[in-house]
Amino acid sequence: MAGNRIVGNRLVEHRSADDRLAGHRSADHRSDRHRAAAAALLFTLTLLAGGCTVMGPDYQRPAVNLPADFGNGEAATAAADTMIPADWWRRYGDAELDALVDSVFASNTDLRLAAAQLEEAEAVLRETYAVLYPQLNLDAASTRSRVTTRGAQPIPAGIPVVRWDQRAAFSTSFELDFWGRLRRGAEAAQAQLLATQYGKDVVQLGLAGTAVQAYFLLRSLDAQIAVTRDSLAAREESLAVARARARGGLASELDVYQAEGLRADAAVQLNDLQRQRAAVERQLGVLSGRLDLRVASGDLRALPVPPTPPVGLPSSLLDRRPDVRQAEAALAAANARIGVAKAAMRPTISLTGMLGGQSRDLSDLLSAGARIWSLGVGLSLPIFDAGRLQARTDQAEARERQALAAYQKSTETAFREVADALNNIERSAAAEQQLDVRLQAARNTVRLARLRYEAGYSAYLEVLDALRNQNDAELAMVRNRQARLAYSVDLMKALGGGWTASEPAPLPLTPVQAVGKVFGASSEPLSAP
């Protein structure tokens, strides 16, 4: 019981042990509440402060000194009819070619590999975003144990030898991103995802170009086979004429032997062309994932000539090339990793917390008396590392300079490839006119040489030379058309799949751009707000 008693002239309160214990508990609860409030205030302040500092340089698109256009004429204005779509191969008007490219996109192993790499990069980005948020865990345990009865201290009466311990608690941990290390890491992962996406586009564009050029080569070989068969038939006819004239005493056996050699030469040429066609057909089968692919014979000369690109194409069209964009995304990722390396030299502040219950009986686990909790703040500051962290920062800065050089090289290479393709298209178109003149002259020469030989005005050697020249002219005409189509494919690839004079250039990447996209990360190109 509690009461009062007189000590000297003072009235002193007398409290029982239970009252004193209750007072201590009340003071402890007030102290706990104060500490919890102080910790919550510290958490809020540090969280707010953590969003204000980001180490490392912000990404800025580097300037690349390129000519305004590709030097193929005066600057041209944008026109609606100068647009080439992304599915540029359909402009050739060949349904079999369209089906072949579709099959390549559906079954090619390189493209499937690039798609899987893109999925991996997306998963890495989602993981990087998740680090920006606290992780919440549920820990539960149920333990049954027995204590010894042979210890130095005897177990008091009423204390069970076999005990139960029930525990369930939520725990969390969170690193305060004071210096932007995690945000720079998310920025680097976002840029790396873009680089992987553009890498897939590079593979897709390269496969389309390779398939189209292989198809044109196949059609070129079909045309060369047709020309060679016509030459073989003409030479067999000439051989028959030479034999008939030799039997009639109008020609010598020399003419027969020369005609036989010329016919055999055409037969060998035809056999070699058929061998090349089979090899190209197998290549198309590997590209399309159909190893048993068989392409019916066609004629390259029946394909339409692609439209000539307008003069004065601006060099800004290089921004649409996926390899240029990939190089820039890699540069942005390297730039962000400098901030990650610099932030690692700063203190790391983390928060930990736990809330749950612990009791002997499961029925009391959620009672007020079984409640347990903890809240902690941790700080880790590098004091001495023998220059390791500074060396990592220097490495990141060196990698950024490497990525910058690679980006500048990619733009310069792209400019050269476009300029070369434009020049090749122009020269091959001019050569086709002269080759047509040569072909007509060779055909007329064969006709006149035969008339002169049959009339006895010339030797058979003139006919042989005329037939060789006609065969060469026919094949040169076909090969130049195939080269002209191949150069047009080179231009499509060099311009990133086509050209649109009015298409705007992609905006540069901005720092810490996609921090809000924690779940369901988008693979769309980043753009400035």
Side-chain angles (χ1 to χ4, degrees), residues 46-56 58 176-184 339 343 346 512:
T46 52
L47 186 61
L48 293 176
C52 300
T53 304
V54 179
M55 301 294 294
D58 290 340
L176 297 179
D177 196 19
F178 256 104
W179 321 109
R181 184 181 68 87
L182 301 180
R183 281 168 288 166
R184 287 299 190 192
R346 303 288 181 171
V512 202

Short mmCIF file of all heavy atoms in Angstrom, two decimals, residues 46-56 58 176-184 339 343 346 512:
data_model
loop_
_atom_site.label_atom_id
_atom_site.label_comp_id
_atom_site.label_asym_id
_atom_site.label_seq_id
_atom_site.Cartn_x
_atom_site.Cartn_y
_atom_site.Cartn_z
N THR A 46 16.52 14.34 -43.74
CA THR A 46 17.55 13.75 -44.60
C THR A 46 16.98 13.32 -45.94
O THR A 46 17.65 13.40 -46.97
CB THR A 46 18.18 12.55 -43.91
OG1 THR A 46 17.16 11.65 -43.48
CG2 THR A 46 19.01 12.97 -42.73
N LEU A 47 15.72 12.85 -45.95
CA LEU A 47 15.10 12.48 -47.22
C LEU A 47 14.95 13.67 -48.13
O LEU A 47 15.20 13.61 -49.33
CB LEU A 47 13.75 11.81 -46.96
CG LEU A 47 13.02 11.23 -48.17
CD1 LEU A 47 13.86 10.14 -48.81
CD2 LEU A 47 11.65 10.70 -47.78
N LEU A 48 14.52 14.81 -47.54
CA LEU A 48 14.40 16.02 -48.34
C LEU A 48 15.75 16.51 -48.81
O LEU A 48 15.92 16.94 -49.96
CB LEU A 48 13.70 17.11 -47.52
CG LEU A 48 12.23 16.85 -47.18
CD1 LEU A 48 11.70 17.96 -46.28
CD2 LEU A 48 11.39 16.75 -48.45
N ALA A 49 16.74 16.43 -47.93
CA ALA A 49 18.07 16.89 -48.33
C ALA A 49 18.67 15.98 -49.38
O ALA A 49 19.41 16.42 -50.26
CB ALA A 49 18.99 16.95 -47.11
N GLY A 50 18.33 14.68 -49.31
CA GLY A 50 18.88 13.75 -50.27
C GLY A 50 18.42 14.00 -51.68
O GLY A 50 19.06 13.58 -52.62
N GLY A 51 17.28 14.67 -51.88
CA GLY A 51 16.80 14.95 -53.22
C GLY A 51 17.37 16.20 -53.81
O GLY A 51 16.96 16.60 -54.90
N CYS A 52 18.29 16.87 -53.15
CA CYS A 52 18.78 18.16 -53.62
C CYS A 52 20.16 18.09 -54.24
O CYS A 52 20.58 19.04 -54.87
CB CYS A 52 18.81 19.16 -52.45
SG CYS A 52 17.19 19.44 -51.70
N THR A 53 20.91 16.99 -54.03
CA THR A 53 22.29 16.94 -54.48
C THR A 53 22.48 15.75 -55.41
O THR A 53 22.10 14.64 -55.06
CB THR A 53 23.24 16.80 -53.28
OG1 THR A 53 23.00 17.89 -52.38
CG2 THR A 53 24.69 16.83 -53.74
N VAL A 54 23.03 16.00 -56.57
CA VAL A 54 23.36 14.95 -57.52
C VAL A 54 24.79 15.17 -57.97
O VAL A 54 25.12 16.20 -58.55
CB VAL A 54 22.41 14.95 -58.74
CG1 VAL A 54 22.81 13.84 -59.71
CG2 VAL A 54 20.97 14.77 -58.31
N MET A 55 25.65 14.20 -57.68
CA MET A 55 27.05 14.31 -58.04
C MET A 55 27.24 14.02 -59.53
O MET A 55 26.44 13.33 -60.14
CB MET A 55 27.90 13.33 -57.21
CG MET A 55 27.81 13.55 -55.71
SD MET A 55 28.54 15.12 -55.20
CE MET A 55 30.27 14.80 -55.60
N GLY A 56 28.32 14.53 -60.08
CA GLY A 56 28.66 14.24 -61.46
C GLY A 56 28.08 15.24 -62.44
O GLY A 56 27.13 15.97 -62.13
N ASP A 58 25.95 16.74 -65.59
CA ASP A 58 24.74 16.46 -66.35
C ASP A 58 25.11 16.25 -67.82
O ASP A 58 26.03 16.88 -68.34
CB ASP A 58 23.74 17.61 -66.22
CG ASP A 58 23.16 17.70 -64.82
OD1 ASP A 58 23.22 16.69 -64.10
OD2 ASP A 58 22.66 18.78 -64.46
N LEU A 176 19.55 6.55 -48.00
CA LEU A 176 19.23 7.92 -48.38
C LEU A 176 20.18 8.36 -49.49
O LEU A 176 21.39 8.34 -49.32
CB LEU A 176 19.35 8.86 -47.18
CG LEU A 176 18.39 8.58 -46.02
CD1 LEU A 176 18.64 9.55 -44.88
CD2 LEU A 176 16.95 8.67 -46.49
N ASP A 177 19.60 8.73 -50.61
CA ASP A 177 20.42 9.08 -51.77
C ASP A 177 20.84 10.54 -51.69
O ASP A 177 20.43 11.38 -52.48
CB ASP A 177 19.61 8.81 -53.05
CG ASP A 177 20.50 8.77 -54.28
OD1 ASP A 177 21.72 8.59 -54.13
OD2 ASP A 177 19.97 8.93 -55.40
N PHE A 178 21.70 10.82 -50.71
CA PHE A 178 22.16 12.19 -50.49
C PHE A 178 22.86 12.76 -51.72
O PHE A 178 22.63 13.90 -52.11
CB PHE A 178 23.11 12.23 -49.30
CG PHE A 178 22.49 12.78 -48.05
CD1 PHE A 178 22.13 11.92 -47.03
CD2 PHE A 178 22.27 14.13 -47.91
CE1 PHE A 178 21.55 12.41 -45.88
CE2 PHE A 178 21.70 14.62 -46.75
CZ PHE A 178 21.33 13.77 -45.74
N TRP A 179 23.71 11.97 -52.33
CA TRP A 179 24.60 12.49 -53.37
C TRP A 179 24.19 12.04 -54.77
O TRP A 179 24.93 12.26 -55.72
CB TRP A 179 26.04 12.05 -53.09
CG TRP A 179 26.37 12.09 -51.64
CD1 TRP A 179 26.57 11.03 -50.81
CD2 TRP A 179 26.52 13.25 -50.83
NE1 TRP A 179 26.83 11.45 -49.54
CE2 TRP A 179 26.81 12.84 -49.51
CE3 TRP A 179 26.45 14.64 -51.09
CZ2 TRP A 179 27.02 13.71 -48.47
CZ3 TRP A 179 26.65 15.51 -50.05
CH2 TRP A 179 26.94 15.07 -48.75
N GLY A 180 23.02 11.42 -54.88
CA GLY A 180 22.53 11.05 -56.21
C GLY A 180 23.16 9.81 -56.79
O GLY A 180 23.06 9.59 -58.00
N ARG A 181 23.79 8.98 -55.95
CA ARG A 181 24.43 7.77 -56.49
C ARG A 181 23.39 6.84 -57.12
O ARG A 181 23.60 6.33 -58.22
CB ARG A 181 25.19 7.04 -55.38
CG ARG A 181 25.95 5.82 -55.86
CD ARG A 181 26.68 5.13 -54.72
NE ARG A 181 25.73 4.53 -53.80
CZ ARG A 181 25.22 3.31 -53.95
NH1 ARG A 181 25.58 2.57 -55.00
NH2 ARG A 181 24.38 2.81 -53.07
N LEU A 182 22.28 6.64 -56.42
CA LEU A 182 21.26 5.74 -56.94
C LEU A 182 20.57 6.35 -58.15
O LEU A 182 20.24 5.64 -59.11
CB LEU A 182 20.24 5.43 -55.84
CG LEU A 182 20.80 4.78 -54.58
CD1 LEU A 182 19.70 4.53 -53.57
CD2 LEU A 182 21.53 3.48 -54.91
N ARG A 183 20.33 7.66 -58.11
CA ARG A 183 19.67 8.29 -59.26
C ARG A 183 20.56 8.30 -60.49
O ARG A 183 20.09 8.12 -61.61
CB ARG A 183 19.25 9.72 -58.87
CG ARG A 183 17.98 9.76 -58.03
CD ARG A 183 17.76 11.12 -57.42
NE ARG A 183 18.72 11.39 -56.34
CZ ARG A 183 18.92 12.60 -55.83
NH1 ARG A 183 18.27 13.64 -56.30
NH2 ARG A 183 19.79 12.76 -54.85
N ARG A 184 21.85 8.52 -60.28
CA ARG A 184 22.77 8.43 -61.42
C ARG A 184 22.83 6.99 -61.95
O ARG A 184 22.94 6.78 -63.16
CB ARG A 184 24.16 8.90 -61.02
CG ARG A 184 24.30 10.39 -60.83
CD ARG A 184 23.99 11.15 -62.09
NE ARG A 184 24.36 12.57 -61.95
CZ ARG A 184 24.00 13.51 -62.80
NH1 ARG A 184 23.26 13.20 -63.86
NH2 ARG A 184 24.36 14.77 -62.61
N GLY A 339 28.97 10.23 -62.10
CA GLY A 339 28.29 10.63 -60.87
C GLY A 339 28.21 9.51 -59.86
O GLY A 339 28.33 9.74 -58.64
N ALA A 343 29.87 9.89 -56.21
CA ALA A 343 29.01 9.78 -55.02
C ALA A 343 29.52 8.69 -54.07
O ALA A 343 29.28 8.76 -52.86
CB ALA A 343 27.57 9.48 -55.44
N ARG A 346 31.46 9.83 -51.07
CA ARG A 346 30.75 10.57 -50.01
C ARG A 346 30.19 9.61 -48.98
O ARG A 346 30.12 8.39 -49.21
CB ARG A 346 29.61 11.38 -50.63
CG ARG A 346 30.07 12.34 -51.72
CD ARG A 346 30.83 13.51 -51.15
NE ARG A 346 31.26 14.45 -52.19
CZ ARG A 346 31.78 15.64 -51.95
NH1 ARG A 346 31.92 16.03 -50.69
NH2 ARG A 346 32.16 16.43 -52.95
N VAL A 512 18.74 12.17 -64.98
CA VAL A 512 17.76 11.69 -64.01
C VAL A 512 16.37 11.82 -64.59
O VAL A 512 15.47 12.39 -63.99
CB VAL A 512 17.86 12.46 -62.68
CG1 VAL A 512 17.25 11.64 -61.55
CG2 VAL A 512 19.29 12.78 -62.33
#
